């Protein structure tokens, strides 16, 4: 029991007849029970062990307890039960109340081992809950609500026709549709004012996200009900983790938290970023926006608008880590779900400009332990060269570095399976500092020692680069000089295709140039999510709006010069969409949409739908058309062998699909015929009603009702009627003369 003046032993040895007054001492030194116990915490969820194993458990637990404060072995009380086993909980005393509070925040919910998770609470909470009437003296079993089945959030994957969905945002309306190839899409849901700015699918298509002044809302299920409400006021941008477990929200305006806010605490007040747990809808941690480097005002004293890097928080492939870069200084890696800084310290990297996580868990040769990789680069600093590095997490070990010279800029491009990372290096001459050409430094991550292959045959500056998804081929676009800003008349560009050369065994050969297409205006590359097909297009241009469709596995004859390459390039089609601003494939790789959004311009807004070959299937023009986004699909659950079997029998399956298409077309033709019959029937009925009205009018006027009611016949018509002959008029056009005139 904590010491108190109430339990002091009375001293009867005083000779004074007056009773001593201790009120001033009591006021200054008496220890109130709540304040005396606020350094104690209760640890629940511990394993029940016999007395001989208790000391070992205490020492093991002590390592975790000292990670957030200071305590010692004799400050841990772990009671034993009647069977000489521990009760599964312990009382722990910390040095200060602040350390006890920190323990409840950082250790609560922490796994002790595979079977046990710690539950940490302050000892004074028991008394506080009791005073508030939240703890009853008598135990009552909790009341369990009746089970109610929830809607399946991935219901759309069960469509018998394997159709895909897309969301369309036009004017103030947001609607979701089934795609029906050439026919008009089938509406699923259409709501007015569903979002205030834009909509966004989650990476696996589970949620549709809408933006509002009071926060973000996630919708899903067959009835499109609200799943979660994320109360980040005036949120501007969002970013999901790859598996949809977490969500980053950002607002330009710092958050102002009200005292009675049921979700946000004062920890979020004044912050810009919040990391959320999607399943619970609760915030995990909040952050402020870093000050962006560079001057804040121009020569005239006007503020300079700076583009915030997005996403600011980048996720590892398995969602165990999220990292944030402080430009030029460091990377901070946080462990999920506790959002604790890895090893309690940031990684100092002088001059760091950018970093990217591997998009899949890497499988380096000879490495059996768990790891995630990220790639980073630093510019030249003084006499030190620029550098590209690969770092392993959680060990923070640098597994590969490469020094670079005369570097103007660099961009990091991971291949989707983390087999390669391509560093696009723009180089300049040492004197003029003017960008001259681009080299590609390709790190072969899965090979022993991570060798680097250099592609230095590119003479111009690369303005765009894209790997083939789940493949080892890539496309790039070059220009004689990269434009500093977006212009109405884009520079002439060239499109180049690369692939590995054939090699023996399972190894991948060196990357070789396939072909270059010159004198283009292309500026974007859009691979099919399944690989093989790619669209190279010109967007946001007033001069050109071409979409070139290419096949890299053409089944026809292969040119002799490309016999040793792992690609057979074929141009399939060229489409044109004036004013195109965005291009997007559906998740199956069967369809492509090109969009002209009113957010970019107000001319001929709408969208075009193409198949993978570039054939136009549907074209729709809509006023105030803003956005079209295909619904993503989760990763297939089929094994590789099952997928191979499907590809092997694809021709047999296609016969069934063709038959389904024919039946559907017959139904549609029948529906058209029925509609025409209905219209004809309505017209004939209307005609009969009009004839009856006309007959009534003739009776009232005293005219012959049995005569011609469609009008009086002319003399010529009567002759034709009596003779049974027909008069046919034919107009013949004859060209008398043609001349050619040249206008200077």
């Amino acid at each position: 029991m904590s010491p108190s003046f109430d339990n002091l032993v009375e001293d009867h040895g005083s000779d004074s007849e007056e009773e001593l007054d201790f009120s001033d001492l009591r006021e200054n030194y008496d220890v109130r029970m709540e304040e005396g116990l606020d350094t104690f915490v209760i640890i629940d969820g511990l394993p029940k062990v016999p007395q001989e194993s208790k000391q070992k458990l205490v020492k093991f637990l002590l390592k975790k307890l000292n990670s957030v404060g200071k305590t010692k072995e004799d400050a841990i009380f772990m009671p034993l039960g009647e069977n000489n086993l521990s009760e599964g909980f312990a009382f722990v005393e910390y040095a200060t109340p602040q350390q006890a509070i920190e323990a409840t925040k950082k250790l609560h919910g922490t796994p002790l081992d595979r079977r046990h998770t710690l539950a940490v609470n302050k000892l004074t909470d028991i008394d506080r809950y009791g005073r508030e009437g939240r703890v009853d003296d008598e135990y009552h079993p909790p009341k369990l609500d009746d089970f109610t089945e929830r809607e399946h959030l991935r219901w759309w994957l069960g469509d018998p026709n394997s159709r895909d969905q897309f969301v369309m945002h036009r004017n103030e309306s947001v609607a979701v549709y089934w795609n029906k190839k050439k026919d008009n899409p089938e509406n699923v849901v259409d709501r007015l004012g569903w979002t205030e700015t834009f909509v966004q699918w989650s990476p696996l298509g589970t949620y549709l996200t809408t933006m509002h002044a009071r926060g973000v809302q996630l919708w899903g299920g067959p009835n499109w009900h609200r799943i979660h409400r994320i109360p980040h006021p005036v949120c501007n941008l969002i970013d999901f983790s790859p598996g949809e477990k977490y969500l980053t929200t950002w607002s330009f305006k710092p958050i102002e938290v009200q005292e009675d806010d049921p979700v946000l605490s004062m920890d979020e007040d004044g912050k810009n970023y919040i990391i959320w747990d999607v399943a619970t809808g609760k915030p995990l941690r909040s952050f402020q926006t870093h000050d962006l480097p560079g001057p804040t005002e121009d020569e005239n004293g006007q503020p300079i608008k700076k583009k915030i890097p997005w996403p600011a928080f980048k996720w590892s492939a398995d969602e165990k880590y999220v990292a944030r870069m402080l430009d030029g200084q460091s990377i901070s890696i946080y462990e999920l779900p506790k959002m604790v800084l890895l090893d309690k310290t940031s990684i100092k990297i002088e001059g760091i400009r950018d970093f990217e996580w591997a998009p899949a868990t890497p499988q380096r040769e000879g490495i059996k332990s768990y790891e995630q990789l990220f790639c980073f680069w630093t510019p030249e600093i003084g006499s030190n060269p620029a550098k590209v590095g690969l770092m392993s997490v959680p060990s923070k070990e640098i597994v590969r570095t490469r020094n670079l010279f005369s570097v103007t800029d660099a961009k990091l491009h991971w291949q989707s399976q983390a087999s390669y990372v391509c560093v696009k290096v723009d180089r300049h001459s040492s004197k003029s500092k003017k960008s001259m050409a681009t080299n590609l430094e390709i790190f072969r991550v899965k090979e022993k020692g991570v060798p680097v292959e250099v592609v230095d045959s590119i003479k111009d500056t690369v303005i765009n680069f894209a790997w083939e998804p789940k493949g080892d081929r890539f496309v790039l676009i070059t220009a004689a000089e990269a434009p500093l800003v977006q212009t109405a008349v884009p520079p002439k560009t060239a499109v180049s295709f690369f692939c590995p050369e054939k090699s023996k065994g399972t190894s991948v050969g060196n990357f070789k140039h396939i072909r270059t297409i010159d004198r283009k205006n292309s500026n974007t590359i859009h691979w099919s999510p399944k690989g093989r097909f790619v669209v190279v297009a010109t967007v946001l241009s007033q001069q050109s709006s071409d979409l070139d469709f290419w096949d890299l596995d053409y089944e026809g004859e292969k040119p002799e010069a490309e016999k040793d390459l792992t690609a057979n390039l074929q141009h399939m089609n060229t489409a044109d969409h004036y004013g195109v601003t965005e291009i997007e494939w559906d998740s199956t790789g069967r369809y492509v949409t090109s969009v002209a959004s009113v957010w970019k311009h107000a001319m001929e807004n709408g969208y075009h739908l193409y198949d993978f070959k570039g054939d136009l299937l549907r074209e729709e023009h809509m006023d105030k058309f803003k956005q079209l986004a295909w619904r993503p699909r989760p990763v297939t659950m089929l094994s590789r062998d099952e997928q191979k079997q499907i590809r092997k029998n694809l021709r047999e399956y296609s016969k069934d699909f063709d038959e389904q298409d024919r039946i559907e077309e017959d139904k549609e033709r029948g529906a058209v015929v029925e509609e025409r019959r209905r219209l004809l029937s309505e017209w004939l009925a209307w005609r009969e009603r009009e004839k009856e009205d006309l007959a009534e009018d003739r009776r009232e006027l005293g005219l012959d009702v049995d005569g011609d009611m469609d009008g009086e016949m002319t003399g010529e018509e009567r002759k034709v009627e009596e003779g049974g002959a027909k008069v046919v008029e034919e107009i013949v056009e004859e060209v008398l003369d043609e001349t050619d005139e040249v206008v200077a």
Side-chain angles (χ1 to χ4, degrees):
M1 180 181 293
S2 298
S4 172
F5 279 99
D6 291 334
N7 50 41
L8 288 177
V9 179
E10 295 184 6
D11 185 2
H12 299 286
S14 175
D15 295 334
S16 174
E17 296 180 357
E18 297 181 2
E19 184 178 354
L20 297 177
D21 183 11
F22 294 107
S23 60
D24 57 337
L25 296 176
R26 185 184 299 274
E27 182 179 353
N28 291 330
Y29 298 105
D30 192 11
V31 179
R32 287 183 290 272
M33 286 297 294
E34 185 170 333
E35 294 182 359
L37 298 177
D38 56 4
T39 58
F40 286 84
V41 296
I42 303 176
I43 310 291
D44 205 350
L46 297 174
K48 296 182 179 181
V49 298
Q51 185 173 6
E52 55 269 20
S53 301
K54 173 184 171 182
Q55 195 71 14
K56 183 178 179 181
L57 176 60
V58 169
K59 289 183 177 180
F60 180 74
L61 181 62
L62 197 60
K63 295 180 181 179
K64 283 189 174 291
L65 298 176
N66 282 329
S67 66
V68 296
K70 290 184 179 181
T71 186
K72 48 189 177 180
E73 191 172 329
D74 58 0
I76 301 176
F77 175 64
M78 190 178 296
L80 297 176
E82 296 179 356
N83 54 1
N84 210 28
L85 291 176
S86 63
E87 296 285 358
F89 63 88
F91 299 91
V92 179
E93 182 180 11
Y94 274 99
T96 64
Q98 289 74 21
Q99 293 178 8
I101 295 173
E102 194 71 10
T104 60
K105 287 184 177 181
K106 295 187 176 180
L107 295 182
H108 184 73
T110 302
L112 183 67
D113 54 29
R114 293 183 179 179
R115 297 182 179 180
H116 300 87
T117 301
L118 300 181
V120 184
N121 294 280
K122 290 179 61 179
L123 185 59
T124 54
D125 285 345
I126 298 176
D127 207 23
R128 179 166 60 87
Y129 292 151
R131 288 198 308 269
E132 295 173 358
R134 295 165 65 179
V135 178
D136 201 332
D137 293 336
E138 184 180 350
Y139 171 75
H140 299 283
K143 182 181 179 181
L144 300 178
D145 296 331
D146 295 335
F147 172 75
T148 55
E149 186 175 357
R150 294 187 176 183
E151 295 179 338
H152 201 298
L153 296 181
R154 293 184 176 175
W155 61 277
W156 86 98
L157 298 175
D159 180 61
N161 295 323
S162 301
R163 296 175 297 177
D164 277 283
Q165 290 185 347
F166 60 85
V167 62
M168 192 185 302
H169 185 194
R170 64 196 186 283
N171 203 351
E172 300 301 323
S173 175
V174 175
V176 179
Y177 296 90
W178 288 110
N179 179 41
K180 295 186 67 176
K181 300 180 182 179
K182 295 182 179 181
D183 301 316
N184 291 329
E186 178 184 332
N187 183 261
V188 180
V189 61
D190 193 342
R191 294 178 183 174
L192 189 65
W194 202 354
T195 185
E196 295 179 19
T197 52
F198 63 90
V199 294
Q200 181 175 322
W201 293 108
S202 58
L204 304 181
T206 307
Y207 309 106
L208 178 65
T209 310
T210 58
M211 312 295 292
H212 308 271
R214 300 182 62 181
V216 179
Q217 297 185 12
L218 309 183
W219 307 80
N223 294 319
W224 296 95
H225 65 281
R226 184 172 56 224
I227 310 297
H228 292 297
R229 182 188 286 111
I230 307 297
H232 186 146
V234 199
C235 178
N236 299 109
L237 295 172
I238 62 172
D239 180 55
F240 281 92
S241 62
E244 303 179 341
K245 288 184 180 180
Y246 308 105
L247 175 68
T248 304
T249 57
W250 174 80
S251 60
F252 176 78
K253 182 181 178 182
I255 300 171
E256 297 179 3
V257 180
Q258 304 299 323
E259 292 184 0
D260 58 346
D261 195 297
V263 178
L264 301 179
S265 67
M266 295 310 296
D267 291 338
E268 281 75 52
D269 191 69
K271 306 296 179 59
N272 304 87
Y273 296 93
I274 300 181
I275 309 291
W276 302 82
D277 186 325
V278 173
T280 62
K282 295 181 179 180
L284 299 178
R285 191 163 176 174
S286 56
F287 302 85
Q288 288 181 320
T289 300
H290 284 154
D291 292 333
L292 299 178
T296 57
E297 296 182 351
D298 58 17
E299 298 176 353
N300 300 322
Q302 298 296 322
I304 298 176
K305 292 183 178 180
K306 297 181 180 180
K307 186 177 181 181
I308 185 170
W310 189 259
F313 289 84
K314 299 179 180 180
W315 311 92
S316 64
D318 60 357
E319 300 180 305
K320 288 187 177 181
Y321 304 101
V322 63
R324 183 191 192 189
M325 182 186 74
L326 180 57
D327 190 77
Q329 299 183 35
S330 63
I331 294 179
S332 300
I333 302 178
Y334 299 89
E335 298 180 85
L336 292 160
K338 299 299 292 183
M339 284 300 294
V340 179
L341 191 62
L342 181 64
D343 297 335
K344 300 182 182 179
T345 182
S346 299
I347 304 172
K348 304 296 183 183
I349 305 176
E350 184 181 4
I352 183 169
R353 287 286 184 85
D354 195 13
F355 80 101
E356 293 290 344
W357 286 101
T361 299
Q363 299 174 348
R364 289 193 293 142
E365 184 176 344
I367 305 299
K368 296 183 179 180
S369 59
Y370 166 81
E371 71 170 354
Q372 293 294 321
L373 288 179
F374 70 82
C375 182
F376 66 91
W377 83 277
T378 61
E380 297 171 87
I381 302 175
S383 59
N384 296 324
K387 183 173 68 175
V388 176
L390 283 176
M391 181 175 288
S392 176
V393 176
S395 67
K396 297 183 180 179
E397 175 191 358
I398 300 289
V399 300
R400 187 70 162 89
T401 60
R402 185 169 177 84
N403 293 333
L404 305 171
F405 300 90
S406 303
V407 176
T408 303
D409 192 17
K411 291 290 186 293
L412 311 174
H413 301 274
W414 279 97
Q415 187 258 6
S416 62
Q417 296 171 313
S419 300
Y420 314 95
V421 58
C422 175
V423 183
K424 182 181 75 69
V425 183
D426 295 333
R427 299 185 183 274
H428 59 256
S429 63
S430 57
K431 294 182 180 180
S432 66
K433 299 293 183 180
K434 185 178 180 181
S435 182
M436 296 177 61
T438 300
N439 285 1
L440 303 181
E441 309 275 340
I442 301 177
F443 291 69
R444 293 174 172 259
V445 178
K446 292 187 176 182
E447 298 180 19
K448 188 175 182 179
V450 192
V452 179
E453 180 180 345
V454 180
V455 178
D456 56 4
S457 59
I458 305 169
K459 303 303 180 184
D460 294 326
T461 302
V462 175
I463 63 173
N464 208 329
F465 175 98
W467 283 103
E468 176 187 21
K470 302 178 182 178
D472 46 23
R473 300 173 290 198
F474 59 85
V475 181
L476 54 86
I477 300 174
T478 60
E481 185 174 350
L484 298 178
V485 295
Q486 188 75 35
T487 59
V489 181
K492 288 296 180 182
T493 60
V495 182
S496 298
F497 300 83
F498 288 79
C499 73
E501 60 183 352
K502 294 180 180 179
S503 62
K504 297 181 180 179
T506 58
S507 62
V508 179
N510 293 330
F511 291 97
K512 297 295 182 181
H513 174 247
I514 306 174
R515 205 178 306 167
T516 294
I517 313 300
D518 294 313
R519 302 181 63 80
K520 302 292 292 185
N521 294 116
S522 305
N523 53 19
T524 60
I525 305 166
H526 303 273
W527 279 98
S528 164
K530 301 299 183 183
R532 178 175 176 176
F533 304 105
V534 63
V535 176
V536 183
T538 308
V539 302
L540 298 172
S541 172
Q542 297 179 5
Q543 185 183 30
S544 177
S545 53
D546 291 342
L547 288 76
D548 292 322
F549 291 77
W550 295 88
D551 180 5
L552 273 76
D553 287 326
Y554 178 59
E555 297 178 358
E557 186 177 355
K558 195 172 186 179
E560 187 65 30
E562 301 173 5
K563 292 290 185 181
D564 295 331
L565 302 180
T566 57
N568 187 14
L569 185 64
Q570 177 68 28
H571 180 248
M572 297 186 294
N573 207 345
T574 296
D576 182 81
H577 183 178
Y578 178 74
V580 59
T581 58
E582 299 172 28
I583 294 172
E584 184 178 356
W585 286 83
D586 80 317
S587 57
T588 65
R590 294 179 292 179
Y591 305 103
V592 186
T593 51
S594 59
V595 171
S597 173
V598 72
W599 286 335
K600 299 296 184 180
H601 61 76
M603 299 179 294
E604 299 186 21
N605 302 128
Y607 74 94
H608 291 185
L609 176 69
Y610 305 91
D611 64 10
F612 68 94
K613 303 186 301 296
D615 294 334
L616 181 63
L617 301 178
R618 191 168 66 249
E619 177 180 349
E620 291 196 46
H621 296 283
M622 300 180 182
D623 292 335
K624 298 183 179 180
F625 182 86
K626 298 177 180 178
Q627 188 181 6
L628 186 148
W630 290 96
R631 189 170 195 172
R633 285 176 176 260
V635 179
T636 179
M637 300 179 67
L638 297 176
S639 65
R640 290 186 177 181
D641 292 337
E642 290 172 329
Q643 294 181 51
K644 288 181 180 179
Q645 188 67 21
I646 291 174
R647 292 191 187 98
K648 182 179 178 181
N649 300 322
L650 192 58
R651 294 187 183 276
E652 294 298 323
Y653 296 140
S654 64
K655 293 179 182 178
D656 296 335
F657 295 140
D658 292 340
E659 180 65 19
Q660 291 178 14
D661 290 342
R662 188 190 62 78
I663 294 174
E664 190 67 25
E665 289 177 0
D666 289 344
K667 289 181 180 178
E668 291 169 357
R669 291 195 187 101
V672 170
V673 171
E674 289 298 322
E675 178 66 12
R676 289 175 178 174
R677 287 176 177 172
R678 184 185 66 79
L679 293 174
L680 178 60
S681 176
E682 290 180 358
W683 184 84
L684 292 175
W686 171 85
R687 186 172 182 272
E688 289 300 320
R689 289 195 301 271
E690 291 298 316
K691 290 178 68 174
E692 292 177 0
D693 292 342
L694 180 59
E696 185 65 27
D697 293 342
R698 293 177 70 90
R699 289 193 192 95
E700 293 178 358
L701 296 173
L703 300 176
D704 184 12
V705 177
D706 297 330
D708 176 48
M709 291 188 296
D710 292 331
E712 294 294 332
M713 291 187 181
T714 63
E716 193 68 30
E717 289 174 341
R718 292 184 183 280
K719 290 181 181 179
V720 171
E721 183 74 17
E722 293 172 359
K726 293 184 179 180
V727 177
V728 179
E729 294 185 0
E730 182 178 0
I731 300 175
V732 179
E733 294 184 359
E734 181 179 357
V735 179
L736 300 178
D737 190 15
E738 290 185 354
T739 59
D740 293 334
E741 183 178 354
V742 178
V743 179

